[in-house]
Amino acid sequence: MVFKRTMFLLLLQNFLVISSTLVSLGYQHHSGHSSLTDKAALLEFKKAITSDPTFALANWQESNDVCNFTGVVCNTRHHRVANLTLNRTGLVGYISPFISNLTELLCLQLAENNFSSTIPLEISSLRRLRFLKLHDNNMQGSIPESLSLLHDLELLHLFGNNLTGPIPASLFSNCSMLQNVDLSGNRLTGKIPPEIGNCPYLWTLNLYNNQFTGQIPFSLTNASYMFNLDFEYNHISGELPSDIVVKLYRLVYLHISYNDMVSHDANTNLDPFFASLENCSSLEELEMEGMSLGGKLPIFMGQLGVNLTNLVLNGNQISGSIPPSLGNLSKLTNLNLSSNQLSGTIPREFSGSSNLQQLILSHNLLNGSIPKELGNIGGLGHLDLSHNSLSGNIPESIGNLVQLNFLFLNNNNLSGAVPRSLGRCIDLNKLDFSYNRLTGSIPPEISSLLEIRIFLNLSHNLLEGPLPIELSKLQNVQEIDLSSNKFNGSIFDPILNCIALRLLNFSDNALQGPLPDSLGDFKNLEVFDVSGNQLSGKIPTTLNRTRTLTFLNLSYNNFDGQIPSGGIFDSVTNLSFLGNPHLCGSVPGIPTCHKKRNWLRFVIIFSVVISISAFLSTIGCVIGCRYIKRILSSGRSETVRKSTPDLMHNFPRMTYRELSEATGGFDDQRLIGSGSYGRVFKGVLSDGTAIAVKVLQLQTGNSTKSFNRECQVLKRIRHRNLIRIITACSLPDFKALVLPYMANGSLDSRLYPHSETGLGSGSSDLSLIQRVNICSDIAEGMAYLHHHSPVRVIHCDLKPSNVLLNDEMTALVSDFGISRLVSTVGNAGAVEHMGNSTANMLCGSIGYIAPGTT
Ligand SMILES: *[C@@H]1O[C@H](CO)[C@@H](O)[C@H](O)[C@H]1NC(C)=O
Ligand SMILES: *[C@@H]1O[C@H](CO)[C@@H](O)[C@H](O)[C@H]1NC(C)=O
Ligand SMILES: *[C@@H]1O[C@H](CO)[C@@H](O)[C@H](O)[C@H]1NC(C)=O
Ligand SMILES: *[C@@H]1O[C@H](CO)[C@@H](O)[C@H](O)[C@H]1NC(C)=O
Ligand SMILES: *[C@@H]1O[C@H](CO)[C@@H](O)[C@H](O)[C@H]1NC(C)=O
Ligand SMILES: *[C@@H]1O[C@H](CO)[C@@H](O)[C@H](O)[C@H]1NC(C)=O
Ligand SMILES: *[C@@H]1O[C@H](CO)[C@@H](O)[C@H](O)[C@H]1NC(C)=O
Ligand SMILES: *[C@@H]1O[C@H](CO)[C@@H](O)[C@H](O)[C@H]1NC(C)=O
Ligand SMILES: *[C@@H]1O[C@H](CO)[C@@H](O)[C@H](O)[C@H]1NC(C)=O
Ligand SMILES: *[C@@H]1O[C@H](CO)[C@@H](O)[C@H](O)[C@H]1NC(C)=O
Ligand SMILES: *[C@@H]1O[C@H](CO)[C@@H](O)[C@H](O)[C@H]1NC(C)=O
Ligand SMILES: *[C@@H]1O[C@H](CO)[C@@H](O)[C@H](O)[C@H]1NC(C)=O
């Protein structure tokens, strides 16, 4: 029994195998196609491929079984190619018409390659085709009418190509199976054929980003399974399609942004459209931006589908207030009502939309304050209320929005302080509070905002106080704009920790002090603007290292010295330095710095200079002696009258203690010179200025008043080649002059560098040009002393050790009038006995010019 049954089964099996083979043979014979023609067709297909970078077709060989070809799936029954999937393999070429020989093909996927032919007309031979995915290629030409022969077609994905022309109406002549059509991202034109109403099962129609015109055909109401309808970025006109969507109650996505549609009643009434959505309870995304739609938001907005997540209505002309019922849309994640004409206040009820991630209400006419309830929307990542008329304080509750990435409250009328709670928003990427009326200082909590990696903009407010050091903790920030506030204090070095900075704008504040020298360490700085402050000092030369810098504005400060060269400084114009009267340099429109005259000019004036210096230093002395003799004979000093007016003005006060500290208690280590008049110490003031303190050796006596008076007179002597007396310190038993410190020492030490060690002279490093310059400098200084100075002074002790050299090797004559001081002080109340003191002056070293001075 068992045997019989087995035999029967075997026979049956054989019969089935044979009959199926017969059927398959018969079929093959009937159509003239087989797996062999499939292989031939695919090998032809391969020939049309010009590039196969991923070797996707490497095993497409004559010797291999066609069903083993990469991307090929055969049906088991006939061993014929059923699916051909070669998506995203980098293939370049065209689609061979031989593909039409794959008559059993159900699914053709050649997406995301670089096929650049037209869609072959022969594709209509693939009568069984259900899935055609040619998207994201470079297909040209129009959609062939012959596609209408593909009666079984369910899915047609041609998006992301370069197709042109209209959709052939015949495509929808027999589309009883068509469900999914995506033609987005082409250049298709014309109207959407009303025949689309023949496709009752259509549930996705995506025509995004083409050039369609006309209206949405009413026949679309037939497609009652419609789930995803996208017409964005076309030129579709007419009223909002309320009569259509009212039937499409299964809609989940409705995207109709950027068309030429209007609302009802001549673009004044949005109610009919929103009402038609009443039964679209599954709606999740409603996007209608950029269409200049007019009307008001209906108060029943809150009844839009319970599942609504995206409501995007920006870029229209919607007026009226924001309906509080929106707060009933509890699943809303993205609400964008920006760039409309919405007025009134921001409803507190928004906090009901507790899943909101983006709330964008910018560019409207909203007023009132920011409701503190917004702080309850814990998942908010993007809050943009900018460009409205909001007033009042920024609520502390904003600190509850710990997931906030973007916070824009700029261009409102907000007042009060920057809330300290902001420090809890540790994920902030961008922060913009600019153009408000915020007051107070930047809270130190800002240092918690380590994530700020794009920008921090607090410009155009009323913020004050010093720049918080905590700014330096924002290591990822790319742009800091604090311009147009009332910040004071200095720009500190640690700001350089913000290594990612591309823009730094501190303009129009009250910042002081110098720019940090290390500014050049910013590797990415592109824009640097500190204009309109009170910054001073030299422009840091290091700024020339920042290769990325393209905009520099240092205007309207108190910078001095030379504008550096190299880098940005080679391409800037004087517009970068306006309103800095003490700057000089080679930038066009800026005064050039006083440079050493060139050699040619020296040669020309060489002899003149020599004679002038000789004349003035010798003959001048003789004239002076005659003059003094005359004074002696008349018994009256002209200088007295000249020296008496304007005393004690603008005399920087400097105490004995300050001088003592500056010189380390008049430490012998700081001694840089000594002589009969006293001793000279080098010192550094607390502000970093290097000075020389000349402590005079005096006889005793209550001479403070006359000493000060003499100092005043000498202080008025100002010349490039005369050492300037900064101030004097006078106590009954201590008299000192404070002079600028000259880095290059005296001419004496330069002429005889080794004289102290007894190695003799002749090894001076001064060039001929430098020597000539020094001669000329001395002559100019002496000429001034003798002819133009407010008090006529005769030096009488001109010698190399009294000629000092500054950084630029300019010679400055020192010690003029010292003997006058000494004598004045020495003879208490000697103003009346000026003749006497003048005599002392003459007695100093009349006619004595030390050898080697010229
Ligand atoms: C297909 O390839 C596999 C190995 O990849 C091989 O074992 C099999 O025999 C091949 N089938 C045919 C029909 O050639
Ligand atoms: C062919 O592809 C379609 C769509 O991807 C799929 O449903 C079908 O199962 C595939 N057929 C075979 C035989 O793999
Ligand atoms: C592309 O093909 C792969 C298999 O080769 C498949 O997993 C993937 O889903 C396909 N992608 C598309 C967009 O069809
Ligand atoms: C295969 O297709 C090509 C082009 O469409 C056609 O010329 C050829 O006759 C077809 N071969 C067979 C066997 O059908
Ligand atoms: C596509 O192929 C063309 C040449 O046929 C080539 O010019 C183009 O750069 C390719 N595009 C891509 C995205 O590979
Ligand atoms: C439409 O296609 C179906 C098969 O998909 C077919 O049965 C029907 O006859 C076709 N109708 C027309 C008018 O072509
Ligand atoms: C798209 O097609 C047009 C002609 O229809 C052609 O001029 C243009 O270069 C094509 N664009 C691309 C990216 O191939
Ligand atoms: C809707 O479909 C029916 C058949 O299902 C058809 O008779 C009718 O004309 C279609 N309506 C439109 C507007 O196309
Ligand atoms: C929504 O459905 C209800 C019940 O089917 C119906 O009474 C109402 O008219 C529909 N609303 C719209 C706008 O069609
Ligand atoms: C809302 O969404 C949920 C989850 O996606 C789903 O189960 C529910 O059916 C949807 N409600 C409507 C009315 O479509
Ligand atoms: C929100 O919905 C509830 C009940 O669904 C209703 O009572 C309340 O008035 C609605 N709120 C607004 C602001 O419309
Ligand atoms: C920057 O300025 C310094 C000092 O003037 C100079 O030595 C350096 O060569 C300059 N750098 C560039 C890149 O020009």
Side-chain angles (χ1 to χ4, degrees):
M1 206 50 199
V2 172
F3 174 75
K4 266 188 180 173
R5 180 176 282 182
T6 317
M7 272 303 283
F8 174 74
L9 282 174
L10 245 160
L11 280 171
L12 186 68
Q13 200 180 345
N14 275 342
F15 172 76
L16 284 175
V17 167
I18 287 163
S19 64
S20 88
T21 310
L22 281 173
V23 165
S24 114
L25 278 173
Y27 180 88
Q28 285 171 12
H29 187 248
H30 175 73
S31 69
H33 288 275
S34 69
S35 66
L36 287 178
T37 52
D38 281 358
K39 184 191 276 184
L42 287 180
L43 291 175
E44 286 294 327
F45 176 87
K46 185 181 176 182
K47 282 184 191 161
I49 306 293
T50 55
S51 169
D52 177 13
T54 60
F55 304 104
L57 309 185
N59 66 359
W60 286 30
Q61 306 288 345
E62 185 69 55
S63 53
N64 289 347
D65 181 41
V66 68
C67 297
N68 259 4
F69 282 13
T70 302
V72 169
V73 178
C74 289
N75 56 29
T76 41
R77 218 156 71 95
H78 304 305
H79 205 58
R80 295 286 309 278
V81 176
N83 284 2
L84 177 59
T85 302
L86 289 171
N87 62 5
R88 206 190 294 217
T89 44
L91 296 175
V92 181
Y94 67 95
I95 299 176
S96 164
F98 276 84
I99 202 154
S100 60
N101 291 348
L102 305 170
T103 50
E104 287 280 285
L105 205 60
L106 294 178
C107 171
L108 178 59
Q109 297 192 63
L110 302 174
E112 299 179 64
N113 288 296
N114 193 355
F115 286 108
S116 53
S117 56
T118 54
I119 299 171
L121 301 177
E122 293 82 354
I123 220 163
S124 56
S125 307
L126 306 175
R127 294 299 165 85
R128 291 163 177 263
L129 202 63
R130 285 156 60 184
F131 303 91
L132 180 56
K133 297 188 183 181
L134 302 179
H135 60 86
D136 292 310
N137 278 289
N138 191 18
M139 309 292 291
Q140 314 285 326
S142 55
I143 300 173
E145 293 217 21
S146 61
L147 281 189
S148 59
L149 297 171
L150 304 178
H151 293 167
D152 290 346
L153 202 60
E154 294 172 22
L155 180 146
L156 180 60
H157 279 184
L158 301 177
F159 59 89
N161 281 293
N162 189 16
L163 299 170
T164 51
I167 302 178
S170 59
L171 184 63
F172 305 118
S173 62
N174 188 354
C175 59
S176 54
M177 306 296 282
L178 202 57
Q179 296 169 16
N180 188 333
V181 175
D182 192 340
L183 306 177
S184 62
N186 282 289
R187 303 193 301 138
L188 298 167
T189 52
K191 294 184 178 175
I192 299 160
E195 289 78 1
I196 200 159
N198 294 332
C199 318
Y201 300 113
L202 202 59
W203 58 268
T204 287
L205 179 61
N206 190 347
L207 304 179
Y208 167 86
N209 195 12
N210 279 288
Q211 291 155 25
F212 292 117
T213 52
Q215 303 194 2
I216 298 177
F218 180 72
S219 62
L220 209 56
T221 51
N222 260 6
S224 60
Y225 292 94
M226 191 62 79
F227 167 91
N228 176 8
L229 188 55
D230 192 338
F231 291 107
E232 272 180 17
Y233 287 100
N234 280 288
H235 306 299
I236 292 169
S237 53
E239 276 185 356
L240 289 174
S242 57
D243 51 346
I244 296 167
V245 296
V246 76
K247 299 278 170 45
L248 308 182
Y249 57 91
R250 292 187 175 95
L251 269 179
V252 173
Y253 305 114
L254 180 57
H255 295 187
I256 54 180
S257 304
Y258 296 103
N259 279 290
D260 305 330
M261 283 185 270
V262 292
S263 65
H264 288 73
D265 303 329
N267 206 25
T268 58
N269 191 357
L270 284 168
D271 289 12
F273 178 73
F274 282 109
S276 70
L277 292 169
E278 181 187 351
N279 288 340
C280 297
S281 52
S282 305
L283 197 64
E284 291 180 15
E285 297 183 1
L286 177 59
E287 301 193 354
M288 305 197 298
E289 56 186 295
M291 291 196 286
S292 302
L293 297 172
K296 296 181 177 167
L297 294 178
I299 49 169
F300 55 82
M301 289 281 285
Q303 291 158 24
L304 288 168
V306 291
N307 278 353
L308 195 69
T309 57
N310 281 27
L311 181 57
V312 179
L313 300 172
N314 55 297
N316 287 299
Q317 291 167 13
I318 302 173
S319 54
S321 56
I322 301 174
S325 67
L326 278 180
N328 265 1
L329 298 170
S330 59
K331 292 207 179 163
L332 208 57
T333 57
N334 178 15
L335 177 62
N336 190 342
L337 302 177
S338 67
S339 301
N340 279 292
Q341 290 152 22
L342 294 166
S343 52
T345 58
I346 299 174
R348 281 177 291 139
E349 289 80 358
F350 265 138
S351 56
S353 305
S354 54
N355 287 308
L356 267 179
Q357 292 168 10
Q358 287 194 34
L359 177 57
I360 304 177
L361 306 176
S362 59
H363 292 274
N364 277 294
L365 308 169
L366 300 170
N367 53 37
S369 57
I370 300 174
K372 64 177 190 305
E373 287 81 0
L374 287 188
N376 300 341
I377 311 174
L380 208 56
H382 185 163
L383 178 60
D384 187 350
L385 308 178
S386 63
H387 294 273
N388 279 293
S389 304
L390 300 171
S391 54
N393 291 357
I394 299 172
E396 282 282 332
S397 64
I398 215 144
N400 300 341
L401 304 176
V402 292
Q403 300 192 28
L404 215 50
N405 291 142
F406 306 123
L407 177 57
F408 303 108
L409 304 179
N410 48 297
N411 299 78
N412 280 293
N413 291 321
L414 298 169
S415 52
V418 176
R420 306 177 86 88
S421 60
L422 202 61
R424 299 209 299 272
C425 306
I426 52 172
D427 278 338
L428 263 182
N429 255 298
K430 297 185 183 183
L431 175 65
D432 194 341
F433 287 172
S434 61
Y435 293 93
N436 279 293
R437 291 184 292 145
L438 300 174
T439 49
S441 55
I442 300 179
E445 286 80 0
I446 196 132
S447 63
S448 318
L449 306 180
L450 297 178
E451 283 300 314
I452 290 200
R453 57 184 81 246
I454 316 294
F455 65 73
L456 172 68
N457 189 348
L458 302 176
S459 68
H460 296 270
N461 278 291
L462 305 169
L463 297 169
E464 60 200 8
L467 301 174
I469 193 89
E470 286 80 7
L471 272 186
S472 60
K473 303 230 175 100
L474 308 180
Q475 296 200 354
N476 297 316
V477 67
Q478 292 182 16
E479 302 185 5
I480 295 183
D481 189 345
L482 304 181
S483 60
S484 297
N485 278 290
K486 300 194 292 189
F487 292 114
N488 52 34
S490 60
I491 298 175
F492 42 81
D493 248 352
I495 190 82
L496 296 160
N497 291 343
C498 306
I499 45 172
L501 266 181
R502 291 190 299 112
L503 178 148
L504 194 55
N505 189 348
F506 288 155
S507 61
D508 296 315
N509 279 291
L511 298 172
Q512 294 158 338
L515 288 177
D517 238 357
S518 38
L519 269 180
D521 295 345
F522 281 127
K523 288 290 174 287
N524 303 304
L525 198 62
E526 288 165 22
V527 175
F528 183 66
D529 191 343
V530 290
S531 60
N533 282 288
Q534 291 143 31
L535 297 166
S536 54
K538 301 256 184 297
I539 298 171
T541 49
T542 55
L543 262 179
N544 73 3
R545 297 204 300 250
T546 310
R547 289 178 195 284
T548 48
L549 198 61
T550 53
F551 181 87
L552 177 70
N553 194 349
L554 307 177
S555 299
Y556 302 104
N557 281 290
N558 297 321
F559 290 114
D560 56 35
Q562 189 168 5
I563 296 170
S565 60
I568 176 83
F569 297 105
D570 289 347
S571 54
V572 286
T573 66
N574 63 331
L575 297 180
S576 293
F577 308 103
L578 296 174
N580 285 285
H582 305 299
L583 277 180
C584 65
S586 51
V587 176
I590 300 284
T592 47
C593 299
H594 181 88
K595 287 259 168 60
K596 294 285 170 200
R597 277 138 283 180
N598 62 38
W599 200 83
L600 209 75
R601 265 179 82 196
F602 289 139
V603 172
I604 295 167
I605 65 166
F606 182 81
S607 54
V608 180
V609 164
I610 290 292
S611 52
I612 284 174
S613 64
F615 261 104
L616 295 180
S617 50
T618 54
I619 295 174
C621 237
V622 174
I623 293 169
C625 292
R626 282 188 191 156
Y627 178 67
I628 287 159
K629 274 180 194 157
R630 204 170 61 225
I631 291 168
L632 282 173
S633 63
S634 75
R636 264 279 161 212
S637 170
E638 208 179 328
T639 42
V640 176
R641 263 184 283 132
K642 291 214 170 187
S643 65
T644 41
D646 64 22
L647 304 174
M648 292 298 178
H649 293 301
N650 304 320
F651 220 159
R653 294 185 64 85
M654 217 167 273
T655 62
Y656 174 80
R657 195 164 145 206
E658 278 174 283
L659 290 183
S660 175
E661 276 169 9
T663 55
F666 301 102
D667 187 359
D668 277 351
Q669 301 271 313
R670 309 274 185 105
L671 193 68
I672 49 175
S674 63
S676 57
Y677 53 80
R679 307 202 296 166
V680 185
F681 298 90
K682 183 189 175 184
V684 180
L685 294 178
S686 53
D687 69 354
T689 318
I691 52 167
V693 182
K694 185 165 286 196
V695 181
L696 301 179
Q697 211 129 49
L698 302 166
Q699 295 99 1
T700 53
N702 187 7
S703 55
T704 306
K705 197 174 162 196
S706 50
F707 172 81
N708 279 346
R709 188 175 294 157
E710 288 299 314
C711 283
Q712 258 320 92
V713 171
L714 292 175
K715 228 171 73 69
R716 288 168 59 215
I717 300 177
R718 286 287 172 86
H719 190 268
R720 198 177 87 87
N721 299 114
L722 297 175
I723 198 111
R724 190 166 54 87
I725 296 175
I726 297 175
T727 191
C729 176
S730 169
L731 293 170
D733 53 353
F734 175 84
K735 305 269 180 283
L737 293 175
V738 180
L739 314 166
Y741 176 71
M742 295 292 137
N744 276 325
S746 72
L747 180 60
D748 189 47
S749 65
R750 293 303 287 248
L751 286 172
Y752 314 111
H754 301 294
S755 57
E756 288 149 40
T757 51
L759 289 176
S761 61
S763 52
S764 165
D765 59 350
L766 289 173
S767 67
L768 176 64
I769 290 175
Q770 279 173 324
R771 283 166 193 248
V772 172
N773 276 333
I774 289 167
C775 287
S776 132
D777 288 341
I778 295 168
E780 282 178 25
M782 293 308 291
Y784 179 82
L785 266 188
H786 292 173
H787 297 294
H788 307 294
S789 137
V791 281
R792 217 154 284 174
V793 174
I794 299 160
H795 196 293
C796 293
D797 196 12
L798 190 58
K799 57 187 179 185
S801 60
N802 278 344
V803 175
L804 304 179
L805 300 170
N806 74 4
D807 301 353
E808 290 166 341
M809 292 299 284
T810 306
L812 290 95
V813 177
S814 80
D815 272 5
F816 51 86
I818 289 290
S819 52
R820 181 181 157 123
L821 274 181
V822 174
S823 64
T824 309
V825 175
N827 305 295
V831 183
E832 294 80 13
H833 306 284
M834 207 52 202
N836 221 0
S837 66
T838 318
N840 283 348
M841 229 159 63
L842 278 173
C843 291
S845 52
I846 182 164
Y848 169 72
I849 306 287
T853 304
T854 46

